[in-house]
Amino acid sequence: MGEKILTKKDLTRLFIRSNAVQSAFNFERQQALGFEWGMIPLINKLYKNPDDRIAAYKRHLGYFNSHPWTCGPIYGMVASMEERKAIGEDIPEENITAVKSALMGPLAGIGDSLFWGTLRPIAAGICASLALSGNGIAPLIFVLFVNAIHFGVQYWGVMAGYNFADQFMEKMQSFQIKAWMEAATILGLIVVGGLAATWLNVTTPLTYTTGEASVALQATLDNIFPKLLPLLCTLGVYGVLRKGKSTMWAMCAIIIIGFVLGFIGVL
Amino acid sequence: MGEKILTKKDLTRLFIRSNAVQSAFNFERQQALGFEWGMIPLINKLYKNPDDRIAAYKRHLGYFNSHPWTCGPIYGMVASMEERKAIGEDIPEENITAVKSALMGPLAGIGDSLFWGTLRPIAAGICASLALSGNGIAPLIFVLFVNAIHFGVQYWGVMAGYNFADQFMEKMQSFQIKAWMEAATILGLIVVGGLAATWLNVTTPLTYTTGEASVALQATLDNIFPKLLPLLCTLGVYGVLRKGKSTMWAMCAIIIIGFVLGFIGVL
Amino acid sequence: MGEKILTKKDLTRLFIRSNAVQSAFNFERQQALGFEWGMIPLINKLYKNPDDRIAAYKRHLGYFNSHPWTCGPIYGMVASMEERKAIGEDIPEENITAVKSALMGPLAGIGDSLFWGTLRPIAAGICASLALSGNGIAPLIFVLFVNAIHFGVQYWGVMAGYNFADQFMEKMQSFQIKAWMEAATILGLIVVGGLAATWLNVTTPLTYTTGEASVALQATLDNIFPKLLPLLCTLGVYGVLRKGKSTMWAMCAIIIIGFVLGFIGVL
Amino acid sequence: MSFSAIFIISFITGLTYFLRRFMGDCQLERPLVLGPVVGLVLGDFRTGLEVGASLELVFMGAQAIGGSVPSNVAIGSALGTAIAITSGTGLEGAMMVAVPVAVVASTFEMFAKTFCAFSVHLADKYAEKGDWKGISLMVHAGNIFHFLAYFIPTLLALYLGDQYVTDLMNAVPANIMSGIKAVGSLLPALGFGLLLNNLSTREFMPYFFIGFAIAAYIPSFGVMGIAFLGIAYVALYAFRKLNQEEEA
Amino acid sequence: MSFSAIFIISFITGLTYFLRRFMGDCQLERPLVLGPVVGLVLGDFRTGLEVGASLELVFMGAQAIGGSVPSNVAIGSALGTAIAITSGTGLEGAMMVAVPVAVVASTFEMFAKTFCAFSVHLADKYAEKGDWKGISLMVHAGNIFHFLAYFIPTLLALYLGDQYVTDLMNAVPANIMSGIKAVGSLLPALGFGLLLNNLSTREFMPYFFIGFAIAAYIPSFGVMGIAFLGIAYVALYAFRKLNQEEEA
Amino acid sequence: MSFSAIFIISFITGLTYFLRRFMGDCQLERPLVLGPVVGLVLGDFRTGLEVGASLELVFMGAQAIGGSVPSNVAIGSALGTAIAITSGTGLEGAMMVAVPVAVVASTFEMFAKTFCAFSVHLADKYAEKGDWKGISLMVHAGNIFHFLAYFIPTLLALYLGDQYVTDLMNAVPANIMSGIKAVGSLLPALGFGLLLNNLSTREFMPYFFIGFAIAAYIPSFGVMGIAFLGIAYVALYAFRKLNQEEEA
Ligand SMILES: OC[C@H]1O[C@H](O)[C@@H](O)[C@@H](O)[C@@H]1O
Ligand SMILES: OC[C@H]1O[C@H](O)[C@@H](O)[C@@H](O)[C@@H]1O
Ligand SMILES: OC[C@H]1O[C@H](O)[C@@H](O)[C@@H](O)[C@@H]1O
């Protein structure tokens, strides 16, 4: 097998491009294009054979969505896996995809609650109060502070991800890697369940009347099965995709159905 | 092995009789007699040999309790299993009993919360307000609406249960059936635990005094182990039955102990 | 293999000495010295060979902490295991230690909530109200009542523990004992997790200001991860011990760090 | 009230319960339905409708579950409606009768459910002999017994009049009432104990405790939540078992 | 406002969003930052600072998560601040404009996120041919589209004036607004459905339901708690697997 | 107070703590018990009884758990009762002394529990030599040290008088007090860390986190609930293991 190809400079470039992960964000594959753009120079360096290149381009255009400040480890790990694949190790394409899809959920969960849910509101709140008491550089402090963390975490993430994956694949035997891939998938599913139940907020404003009191249907639903509507929506989309419909189709269906239900006052 | 025996007409008859499941309801075996009555024509048609018949009669006189509107699938599945047994397949008696005892719990849980806990109160509440505002046919609407659902669900349930079991047993190998039977038993146990903790309401009115405040013993219990009393009662009955006492004995013991404890103010 | 050595009298003596379990209590190994003192006569009787004795003395000087009224079963079970070891059965030292460390947690949990959390406050509360209404022997009633339970439970515990372990090891094959030892360890870990989250009360008084409102940092932490600080403390100590630092070292570090953090108002 | 009216009302009350047993809980015994029917019999449909609908809201939560015996809404509302119409006291009067009567009358259902244990034992004997007609007989006998458990008390109460009934109820010592109530709250444990006895094996018994603990400590789950989690869990269990078997 | 000021403000607003896409959510579109910048452009830094900081506290919780589209704080606060300064109505005026505008303007982000699905499909084609420059082009085109989705509405709104904007918003029927809102609340389900489609196998699917049920029935857990529990669980899972393999 | 009374009261206070160590928490140091005893020594049983019972209710929740050090109720109530009787200020006076003293005096127990770590290390040496008498010596020395940790402060405080004690307590800076309190809240982590170190293997460690997360996120469970669930779980675990072994 060949020698290591990626240099420190390649990884630094990967880090810089990884910040564009949210590029051309869309409801269909979310950060797929952004992720792809980050990988392009790396793919070009690793694979010289056109077929390998095309396969790699296509590989990273799949659905991706994670937190823009904590997705670094995924870039790093994928880089290491691609490098080993390029120099001839037997790394099935599915494993690379598994790492991406299994880690994006938990890392998004961590980033969303740590940064979007906590750090950003706290920092913004403190700086806003500073500003209100007349401090003119408070906005600057805010921007510098959060972005120091932002770029620091992302840089560290890319590098740590690369090194970890490198050592991990060095030490582990293939059946061990398989066990950990399975574990990652399970974790991904558990966290996606938690994410959907927490962040999807589909509720109905319908009410019905018993005796004198008018009761919200949503309150009744919450008693039997809270978050039933978000669950049904997620499963509905999932079912439609399973049946082979395109995401485009699903997106249009959601827009139409959602608009109609909202219009007639059911949602 | 023989050919299928049960006709569509037999299944329709099974559906009709299945509505009598609550017949001669008693604290000992609850809906056992009702279930038996539903199976009689089917047993008579399937088994011609007196010994087989007697075994089948006895088989379905065991403890049974489920929801009268959602128990249909159990009838249907049992019908399919009995049919296959009758035409010579190797279906152990225990498997038939396992299906009954494993499914009655979850189906009762669904029926109790969906119909007794939600649909019926909502429908009755709405119709009662209609009636109070002078609508004379509101009671009729109520009766027709809930029973349309009642008989519809039960009919669908019997048929779907029969077809499902039929296809299931066709496709599965015996070790697969065993795994699913085990799963059903586990599910049954989990749900019975949930049912007992939710529906058994044994509490004590005792209080004690510390300093000036008088504290309810029940509140203290709830802090350490909520629903401790219902648990002890269930385990008490279970233990007594395990030790070989008859249900008759257990019922009398409950009546006497309950009355005495209630009389002296402990319960 | 030899014959049983321990007599009823030995066990009674063990019970008496077991009450001194809290002796020379210290933050390093908590009730280690107390437990050791209880075992000394038994060790002296069972092992005549100096090396075996020394090993046994050292074995029981390890970390121990349980509830002083409910730790009896551990004494009894350890006595039975030591006896069998002394008469030549193959009982690895690790198994004895596993029993101690796995059971001390759950038994402490039961004792703490049942006796410290419930019985003692209730009994004290009732007797205090009696005393306040002029009853001069209420304190005596309190002392006699709680200690009747205290010594009763402990006596029963030592004896039951001995008999249980005796029969258990008689009946079980060694692979069965291994499975149950593993189960005990798992239980111990789960309960220690629960204990640490429940009883460790490390909180921060820090606040920060957003807009007009001043928000407690602790409230924010509780939203993301309640009990994060106790977890970090426990893991910190654990990590330091894993790295080979002595408990003495850890204790001093805690005292210094704790004092400084408290002094500057962080804790 | 004429005796024929009394008889018809009592018969209808008994019938609604008979149909609950024999036709799978058709909900005919709800006050919303029984109220106007009694009204019709007594020639005052409007009052019956109003009283019935009001009692429906009062008894909203009364529902037998797992063999438990809640307030007897049927007897309560039949009596309440009848008295409201004949005494002219309207809703107030109906409420004052219906609520306490429903509590006390739950004893009769308890009695029927206790007694019918005997018909099961007789059915065992018939099954032994292969006599399916005997078994059917026991089914019908049991149902008729349930009918009588509603019919007779209603008949007597209407015949004797509400004053008499109230006096009688007041004459029952509180101790005895709370004894009966305690029995009612304990008896459903028999069902759960039997269920457990049916399902449990040493190996799987802990699942019962897990289900119990989750429901007891996290009430928000309810039975639905536990069934949902349980189904997800056993699916994992079965898939794992199948994999192991396939590998082996 | 001069047209050049209008253009600069709109450009900056679009730029903050462009940088959110291209530089990983630098938080430049927060009112705390955008407010004073708009103030600088209009020559009243102090008012911009004050309005921005106040709006920051109002929009504290607005954050896109999992592809959801919250209130559009950038457009809202750019408009609010500009109007507060030019009309002299101060904070009050800013609030009255910013909050409703932010709600309505979220439609434009939704539009951009919907539309960019096409650039992905074009990128698929370029990938097929190995044309990485084409792929890059799609990335930049998408980002410019996102830029325009903020730039154009801001430009138009500032140009037409707040009275016009308010009239326009009032002219939109409530039904249509609630239809749009419903679409906004449903669209994130697409992301979760896709994620599920990526991860799920028949065998592991129940884990999704377990995670969902815990989060739904025990809200105190939150995503962090579930991730924590989940990591502990899968560690046990992996260790067990490894042990089995080693023994085998 | 005569010196002999002071000495006796202090001795009894120390003794109750000695017996807590040596006789397994007999609860003699509770105010309910110590109050009347101090009363007896000072010749006013009634006041002692009343003050003790009242303090008992105040200190209801104070209980050492897992090596934690709560308010020192023994020293607090001995001092409180003695001062209430001798100064004639009754319950009010007792409270004013007992509560702050109990807080500060917890330092002495902390000191004893810290110091006794040395006797364990000496015991290690004796064990090495097989000298069980040496080990026993360390046990008794440790207990006597615990005795002194209660005896000496009580003696000094009673001797110097409550005014002196209050002045002294007021002289301690708040910073230092909160430092000491922080130490007290951190030290029990040593016990849990040690326990963990004893039990944990890489493979089983996640169970600790699961127990922790459940208790942290669902406080209603408490230790009892977790132990209950845990027992059910490990029973399943052991049964499964046994089955696998039997099949193998
Ligand atoms: O709980 C299941 C079931 O139990 C009994 O059969 C009755 O109380 C029914 O109403 C109930 O549905
Ligand atoms: O939820 C993960 C992730 O989803 C989208 O990419 C955006 O909403 C991000 O802000 C968020 O962090
Ligand atoms: O928590 C177990 C145990 O810990 C220490 O030994 C003491 O605080 C006891 O009172 C307690 O019962």
Side-chain angles (χ1 to χ4, degrees):
Chain A
M1 280 172 221
E3 273 176 23
K4 287 298 179 68
I5 306 173
L6 296 180
T7 63
K8 177 89 196 182
K9 222 178 112 195
D10 293 319
L11 293 176
T12 306
R13 193 169 182 195
L14 183 67
F15 150 67
I16 291 171
R17 284 205 166 207
S18 76
N19 289 302
V21 69
Q22 301 242 55
S23 284
F25 194 103
N26 59 86
F27 282 125
E28 188 186 315
R29 291 190 226 154
Q30 314 235 352
Q31 303 167 335
L33 264 175
F35 193 90
E36 171 88 339
W37 193 71
M39 299 302 293
I40 285 176
L42 209 132
I43 294 174
N44 290 352
K45 179 163 186 187
L46 290 175
Y47 300 104
K48 297 305 172 195
N49 175 321
D51 285 354
D52 291 348
R53 263 201 199 177
I54 290 176
Y57 290 146
K58 285 165 79 178
R59 179 152 66 238
H60 294 295
L61 261 174
Y63 179 90
F64 186 79
N65 190 34
S66 191
H67 188 276
W69 299 9
T70 54
C71 60
I74 305 178
Y75 279 91
M77 292 174 76
V78 167
S80 164
M81 294 175 91
E82 290 286 2
E83 181 180 28
R84 285 171 177 269
K85 191 178 178 65
I87 61 183
E89 279 183 35
D90 169 34
I91 311 241
E93 185 160 277
E94 297 87 69
N95 271 8
I96 301 181
T97 312
V99 163
K100 280 174 71 181
S101 34
L103 290 185
M104 64 187 176
L107 286 175
I110 290 171
D112 285 347
S113 42
L114 216 61
F115 293 133
W116 292 173
T118 309
L119 183 87
R120 208 262 299 140
I122 289 180
I126 292 177
C127 289
S129 7
L130 282 181
L132 284 177
S133 60
N135 187 327
I137 60 162
L140 201 63
I141 296 179
F142 169 72
V143 170
L144 294 179
F145 174 72
V146 295
N147 282 299
I149 289 176
H150 163 190
F151 292 110
V153 166
Q154 184 77 349
Y155 181 79
W156 176 86
V158 172
M159 299 306 160
Y162 179 80
N163 292 328
F164 172 79
D166 209 42
Q167 287 166 29
F168 180 83
M169 290 194 299
E170 200 70 53
K171 280 196 212 131
M172 294 284 135
Q173 292 170 276
S174 74
F175 78 84
Q176 293 169 317
I177 292 183
K178 206 177 140 248
W180 287 108
M181 289 297 139
E182 261 186 47
T185 308
I186 293 176
L187 178 57
L189 281 165
I190 294 175
V191 174
V192 170
L195 282 169
T198 308
W199 296 129
L200 253 190
N201 263 321
V202 184
T203 53
T204 176
L206 293 179
T207 57
Y208 59 87
T209 320
T210 63
E212 271 119 73
S214 114
V215 183
L217 178 58
Q218 188 59 45
T220 308
L221 283 180
D222 286 350
N223 257 339
I224 324 174
F225 193 152
K227 304 280 178 178
L228 180 62
L229 296 182
L231 182 63
L232 293 179
C233 295
T234 309
L235 292 181
V237 174
Y238 171 69
V240 154
L241 298 174
R242 269 279 121 138
K243 284 224 173 103
K245 301 279 178 204
S246 71
T247 43
M248 222 48 193
W249 192 97
M251 191 167 74
C252 295
I254 289 175
I255 291 175
I256 294 167
I257 294 173
F259 187 81
V260 171
L261 291 182
F263 191 89
I264 62 175
V266 169
L267 281 188
Chain B
M1 279 172 220
E3 276 177 21
K4 287 298 178 68
I5 306 174
L6 295 181
T7 63
K8 177 90 195 182
K9 221 179 112 195
D10 292 321
L11 291 176
T12 307
R13 193 168 183 197
L14 183 66
F15 150 65
I16 291 170
R17 283 204 166 208
S18 76
N19 288 301
V21 68
Q22 300 240 57
S23 284
F25 194 102
N26 60 85
F27 282 125
E28 189 185 315
R29 291 191 225 154
Q30 314 235 354
Q31 303 168 335
L33 263 175
F35 193 90
E36 172 87 340
W37 193 72
M39 300 301 294
I40 284 176
L42 210 131
I43 294 174
N44 291 352
K45 180 164 187 187
L46 290 175
Y47 299 105
K48 298 304 173 197
N49 175 320
D51 284 355
D52 290 349
R53 264 201 198 177
I54 289 176
Y57 291 146
K58 285 164 80 177
R59 181 152 66 236
H60 294 296
L61 261 174
Y63 178 89
F64 185 80
N65 191 33
S66 191
H67 188 277
W69 299 9
T70 54
C71 60
I74 305 178
Y75 279 92
M77 292 174 77
V78 167
S80 164
M81 294 176 91
E82 290 285 0
E83 181 180 28
R84 284 170 178 270
K85 192 179 178 63
I87 61 183
E89 280 184 35
D90 170 34
I91 311 241
E93 185 160 276
E94 296 88 69
N95 270 9
I96 302 182
T97 311
V99 164
K100 282 173 69 180
S101 32
L103 291 185
M104 65 188 175
L107 286 175
I110 290 171
D112 285 347
S113 42
L114 216 60
F115 293 133
W116 291 173
T118 309
L119 183 87
R120 208 262 299 139
I122 289 180
I126 292 177
C127 290
S129 6
L130 282 181
L132 283 177
S133 61
N135 187 327
I137 60 160
L140 199 65
I141 297 177
F142 169 71
V143 169
L144 293 180
F145 175 70
V146 295
N147 282 300
I149 290 176
H150 163 191
F151 291 111
V153 167
Q154 184 77 351
Y155 180 80
W156 177 86
V158 172
M159 299 306 160
Y162 179 79
N163 292 329
F164 172 79
D166 209 41
Q167 287 166 27
F168 181 83
M169 289 193 300
E170 201 70 51
K171 280 196 211 131
M172 293 285 137
Q173 291 170 278
S174 74
F175 78 84
Q176 292 169 318
I177 292 184
K178 205 177 141 246
W180 287 107
M181 289 296 140
E182 262 186 47
T185 308
I186 293 175
L187 178 58
L189 281 165
I190 294 175
V191 173
V192 171
L195 283 169
T198 308
W199 295 129
L200 252 190
N201 262 322
V202 184
T203 53
T204 175
L206 292 180
T207 59
Y208 59 87
T209 320
T210 63
E212 270 121 72
S214 114
V215 183
L217 179 57
Q218 187 61 43
T220 308
L221 283 180
D222 286 350
N223 257 338
I224 325 174
F225 193 151
K227 304 280 180 179
L228 181 62
L229 296 183
L231 182 64
L232 293 180
C233 295
T234 309
L235 291 181
V237 173
Y238 172 68
V240 154
L241 297 173
R242 269 280 122 135
K243 285 226 172 99
K245 300 278 179 204
S246 71
T247 43
M248 222 48 194
W249 192 96
M251 191 167 76
C252 295
I254 289 176
I255 291 175
I256 293 168
I257 294 173
F259 187 81
V260 170
L261 291 182
F263 191 89
I264 62 176
V266 169
L267 281 187
Chain C
M1 281 171 219
E3 275 177 20
K4 288 297 180 68
I5 305 174
L6 296 181
T7 63
K8 176 90 196 182
K9 223 177 110 193
D10 291 320
L11 291 176
T12 307
R13 194 168 181 196
L14 183 66
F15 151 66
I16 291 171
R17 283 205 166 208
S18 76
N19 289 301
V21 69
Q22 301 242 55
S23 285
F25 194 102
N26 59 85
F27 282 124
E28 190 187 315
R29 289 191 227 154
Q30 313 234 354
Q31 303 167 336
L33 263 175
F35 193 89
E36 170 88 337
W37 193 72
M39 300 301 294
I40 285 176
L42 209 132
I43 294 174
N44 290 352
K45 180 164 185 187
L46 290 175
Y47 300 105
K48 297 306 172 195
N49 175 319
D51 284 355
D52 291 348
R53 264 201 199 178
I54 290 175
Y57 290 146
K58 285 164 78 177
R59 181 152 66 237
H60 294 295
L61 261 174
Y63 179 88
F64 186 80
N65 190 33
S66 191
H67 188 278
W69 299 10
T70 54
C71 60
I74 306 178
Y75 278 92
M77 291 174 78
V78 167
S80 163
M81 293 176 91
E82 290 286 0
E83 181 180 27
R84 283 171 179 270
K85 191 179 179 62
I87 61 185
E89 280 183 35
D90 169 34
I91 311 239
E93 185 160 276
E94 297 87 69
N95 271 8
I96 302 182
T97 311
V99 164
K100 281 174 70 180
S101 32
L103 291 185
M104 65 188 175
L107 287 174
I110 290 171
D112 285 346
S113 41
L114 216 60
F115 294 133
W116 291 172
T118 310
L119 183 87
R120 209 262 298 138
I122 289 180
I126 292 177
C127 290
S129 4
L130 282 181
L132 284 178
S133 60
N135 186 327
I137 60 161
L140 199 64
I141 296 178
F142 169 72
V143 170
L144 294 180
F145 174 72
V146 295
N147 282 299
I149 290 176
H150 163 190
F151 291 111
V153 166
Q154 184 78 350
Y155 180 80
W156 176 86
V158 172
M159 298 307 160
Y162 179 79
N163 292 328
F164 172 79
D166 209 41
Q167 288 166 26
F168 181 82
M169 289 195 299
E170 200 71 51
K171 281 196 211 132
M172 294 285 136
Q173 292 170 278
S174 74
F175 79 84
Q176 293 170 317
I177 291 183
K178 205 177 141 249
W180 287 107
M181 289 297 139
E182 262 186 46
T185 308
I186 293 176
L187 178 57
L189 281 165
I190 294 175
V191 173
V192 171
L195 282 169
T198 308
W199 295 130
L200 252 189
N201 264 320
V202 183
T203 54
T204 176
L206 292 179
T207 57
Y208 59 87
T209 319
T210 62
E212 271 119 73
S214 114
V215 183
L217 178 57
Q218 187 60 44
T220 308
L221 282 181
D222 286 351
N223 257 339
I224 324 174
F225 193 153
K227 304 281 179 178
L228 180 62
L229 296 182
L231 181 64
L232 293 179
C233 295
T234 308
L235 291 181
V237 174
Y238 171 67
V240 154
L241 297 174
R242 270 279 122 137
K243 285 226 172 101
K245 301 279 179 203
S246 71
T247 43
M248 222 49 193
W249 192 98
M251 191 166 75
C252 294
I254 289 176
I255 291 175
I256 293 167
I257 294 172
F259 187 82
V260 170
L261 291 182
F263 190 89
I264 63 177
V266 170
L267 283 188
Chain D
M1 266 179 286
S2 65
F3 184 75
S4 66
I6 289 180
F7 188 88
I8 294 174
I9 292 174
S10 309
F11 192 88
I12 289 173
T13 307
L15 194 69
T16 61
Y17 190 51
F18 180 83
L19 292 177
R20 165 130 71 106
R21 297 281 145 241
F22 199 57
M23 274 179 62
D25 260 299
C26 294
Q27 304 291 328
L28 301 178
E29 80 279 19
R30 298 300 310 173
L32 175 62
V33 184
L34 210 47
V37 169
V38 168
L40 268 184
V41 173
L42 294 177
D44 185 350
F45 176 74
R46 280 286 135 199
T47 307
L49 183 70
E50 196 199 338
V51 168
S54 305
L55 288 177
E56 183 65 46
L57 297 175
V58 172
F59 288 120
M60 202 78 156
Q63 173 67 50
I65 279 174
S68 71
V69 179
S71 288
N72 192 314
V73 293
I75 299 186
S77 42
L79 256 66
T81 312
I83 281 157
I85 291 176
T86 53
S87 71
T89 48
L91 196 53
E92 301 275 285
M95 219 79 105
M96 273 181 58
V97 174
V99 178
V101 161
V103 172
V104 174
S106 65
T107 330
F108 302 118
E109 187 174 333
M110 241 161 72
F111 191 58
K113 285 180 173 178
T114 307
F115 189 82
C116 274
F118 292 105
S119 47
V120 167
H121 283 266
L122 288 174
D124 283 345
K125 299 247 167 69
Y126 287 116
E128 206 73 64
K129 290 182 284 180
D131 176 358
W132 61 269
K133 288 194 183 139
I135 300 177
S136 294
L137 195 71
M138 286 305 101
V139 172
H140 300 309
N143 285 344
I144 286 171
F145 194 81
H146 274 81
F147 168 82
L148 293 176
Y150 274 46
F151 172 69
I152 294 175
T154 315
L155 193 78
L156 281 178
L158 284 175
Y159 186 73
L160 296 171
D162 60 332
Q163 194 51 51
Y164 192 94
V165 168
T166 314
D167 290 353
L168 202 80
M169 288 193 338
N170 287 341
V172 180
N175 275 351
I176 291 196
M177 277 315 297
S178 83
I180 293 177
K181 268 187 215 158
V183 171
S185 77
L186 279 181
L187 269 176
L190 184 59
F192 292 115
L194 277 158
L195 219 50
L196 213 52
N197 198 21
N198 259 17
L199 290 171
S200 80
T201 58
R202 189 195 66 155
E203 205 184 323
F204 288 155
M205 187 70 182
Y207 286 113
F208 166 77
F209 291 103
I210 290 176
F212 193 96
I214 295 178
Y217 281 102
I218 320 177
S220 68
F221 261 103
V223 178
M224 279 302 265
I226 287 174
F228 189 87
L229 263 188
I231 289 170
Y233 173 78
V234 300
L236 289 176
Y237 180 91
F239 291 141
R240 196 187 315 134
K241 270 252 149 163
L242 294 178
N243 273 354
Q244 277 169 14
E245 293 281 346
E246 259 150 42
E247 274 164 27
Chain E
M1 265 181 286
S2 66
F3 184 76
S4 67
I6 289 181
F7 188 88
I8 295 175
I9 291 174
S10 310
F11 192 88
I12 289 174
T13 307
L15 194 68
T16 60
Y17 189 52
F18 180 85
L19 292 177
R20 165 130 71 105
R21 298 280 144 243
F22 199 57
M23 274 180 63
D25 261 299
C26 295
Q27 304 291 326
L28 301 177
E29 80 278 17
R30 298 299 310 173
L32 176 62
V33 184
L34 209 47
V37 170
V38 169
L40 267 185
V41 173
L42 294 176
D44 186 350
F45 176 74
R46 279 288 135 200
T47 306
L49 182 69
E50 196 198 337
V51 169
S54 305
L55 288 177
E56 182 66 45
L57 297 175
V58 171
F59 288 120
M60 201 77 157
Q63 173 68 52
I65 278 175
S68 70
V69 178
S71 287
N72 192 314
V73 293
I75 299 186
S77 42
L79 256 66
T81 313
I83 281 157
I85 291 176
T86 53
S87 71
T89 49
L91 196 54
E92 301 275 287
M95 220 78 105
M96 273 181 56
V97 175
V99 178
V101 161
V103 172
V104 175
S106 65
T107 330
F108 303 118
E109 187 175 333
M110 242 161 72
F111 191 59
K113 285 181 173 178
T114 306
F115 189 83
C116 274
F118 293 103
S119 48
V120 167
H121 283 265
L122 288 173
D124 283 344
K125 300 246 167 70
Y126 288 117
E128 207 72 65
K129 290 182 285 181
D131 176 358
W132 63 267
K133 288 193 184 140
I135 301 176
S136 295
L137 196 71
M138 288 303 102
V139 172
H140 300 308
N143 285 343
I144 286 171
F145 195 81
H146 274 82
F147 166 84
L148 294 176
Y150 274 46
F151 172 69
I152 295 175
T154 316
L155 193 77
L156 280 178
L158 284 175
Y159 185 73
L160 297 171
D162 59 332
Q163 193 50 50
Y164 192 94
V165 168
T166 314
D167 290 353
L168 202 80
M169 287 192 341
N170 287 341
V172 180
N175 276 351
I176 293 196
M177 277 316 296
S178 84
I180 293 178
K181 267 187 214 157
V183 171
S185 76
L186 278 181
L187 269 175
L190 185 60
F192 292 116
L194 276 159
L195 218 50
L196 213 51
N197 198 20
N198 259 16
L199 290 171
S200 79
T201 57
R202 188 194 68 156
E203 204 184 322
F204 288 155
M205 187 71 181
Y207 285 115
F208 166 76
F209 291 102
I210 291 176
F212 192 95
I214 295 178
Y217 282 102
I218 321 178
S220 68
F221 260 102
V223 178
M224 279 301 265
I226 286 173
F228 188 87
L229 262 189
I231 289 170
Y233 174 78
V234 300
L236 290 176
Y237 180 91
F239 290 141
R240 197 189 314 136
K241 271 251 149 164
L242 295 178
N243 273 353
Q244 278 168 13
E245 293 281 346
E246 259 151 40
E247 274 165 26
Chain F
M1 265 181 286
S2 66
F3 184 75
S4 66
I6 289 179
F7 188 88
I8 293 175
I9 292 174
S10 310
F11 192 87
I12 289 174
T13 307
L15 194 68
T16 61
Y17 190 52
F18 181 84
L19 292 178
R20 164 129 73 105
R21 297 280 145 242
F22 199 56
M23 274 180 63
D25 261 300
C26 295
Q27 304 291 328
L28 300 178
E29 80 279 18
R30 299 297 312 173
L32 176 62
V33 184
L34 209 48
V37 170
V38 168
L40 267 186
V41 172
L42 293 176
D44 186 351
F45 177 75
R46 278 288 134 198
T47 307
L49 182 69
E50 196 199 338
V51 168
S54 306
L55 289 177
E56 182 66 45
L57 297 175
V58 171
F59 287 121
M60 201 77 156
Q63 173 68 50
I65 279 175
S68 71
V69 179
S71 288
N72 192 315
V73 293
I75 299 185
S77 42
L79 255 65
T81 313
I83 280 157
I85 292 176
T86 53
S87 71
T89 49
L91 196 52
E92 302 274 287
M95 220 77 106
M96 275 181 56
V97 175
V99 177
V101 160
V103 172
V104 175
S106 65
T107 330
F108 302 118
E109 187 175 332
M110 242 161 72
F111 191 58
K113 285 180 172 177
T114 307
F115 189 82
C116 273
F118 292 104
S119 47
V120 167
H121 284 265
L122 288 174
D124 283 344
K125 300 248 166 68
Y126 287 117
E128 207 73 65
K129 291 183 286 183
D131 176 359
W132 61 268
K133 287 194 183 141
I135 301 176
S136 295
L137 196 71
M138 286 305 101
V139 173
H140 300 307
N143 285 343
I144 286 170
F145 194 80
H146 274 82
F147 167 85
L148 293 177
Y150 274 46
F151 172 69
I152 295 174
T154 315
L155 193 78
L156 280 178
L158 285 175
Y159 185 73
L160 297 171
D162 60 332
Q163 193 52 50
Y164 192 94
V165 168
T166 314
D167 291 353
L168 201 79
M169 287 192 341
N170 288 342
V172 180
N175 275 351
I176 292 197
M177 276 315 295
S178 83
I180 292 178
K181 267 189 216 158
V183 171
S185 77
L186 279 182
L187 269 175
L190 185 59
F192 292 115
L194 276 159
L195 218 50
L196 213 51
N197 198 21
N198 259 17
L199 289 172
S200 79
T201 57
R202 187 196 66 155
E203 204 185 322
F204 288 155
M205 187 71 182
Y207 286 114
F208 166 77
F209 291 103
I210 290 176
F212 192 95
I214 295 178
Y217 282 102
I218 321 177
S220 68
F221 260 103
V223 178
M224 279 301 266
I226 286 173
F228 188 87
L229 263 188
I231 289 171
Y233 174 77
V234 300
L236 290 175
Y237 180 91
F239 290 141
R240 195 187 317 134
K241 271 252 148 164
L242 295 178
N243 274 353
Q244 277 168 12
E245 293 281 345
E246 260 152 40
E247 274 164 26

